[in-house]
Amino acid sequence: MSTTLRARPAALNLTASAEARIAALMAKAPEGVIGVKLSTPRRGCSGLAYSVDYVEAASAMDERIDTPGGVLFVDGASLLYLIGSTMDWVEDDFTAGFVFNNPNAKGACGCGESFTV
């Protein structure tokens, strides 16, 4: 009996717009920055929020996603909340920011800053 391995699905899907924004962030990143990191710190009305920050060192627990413009790290402790999500970058006349379509989120606060699972 042989075992067939299948490709592991991406923990997080990125749109072309999100990849372009990561490239723009990396183009103006301070010296020593190796990528950007997505995490879900506890804050806001619903309990968890999305946070994207520069990172200077990778953690062994982080998920690494190579994009055409740079590396996105997903915090290992946040990964279970984000599996299957899509990360997009949206700009309009009033706001600009990353937007997440998260199938794990069971609710969000009224202002859209935080979510719960």
Side-chain angles (χ1 to χ4, degrees), residues 46-97:
S46 293
L48 297 170
Y50 300 104
S51 179
V52 179
D53 302 291
Y54 287 120
V55 63
E56 294 180 354
S59 167
M61 298 303 292
D62 291 345
E63 180 79 15
R64 179 187 172 115
I65 301 172
D66 292 308
T67 73
V71 179
L72 172 68
F73 294 94
V74 180
D75 176 61
S78 302
L79 197 55
L80 289 176
Y81 305 131
L82 298 170
I83 290 175
S85 296
T86 298
M87 180 177 178
D88 192 12
W89 175 259
V90 176
E91 289 184 49
D92 62 27
D93 291 339
F94 302 105
T95 62

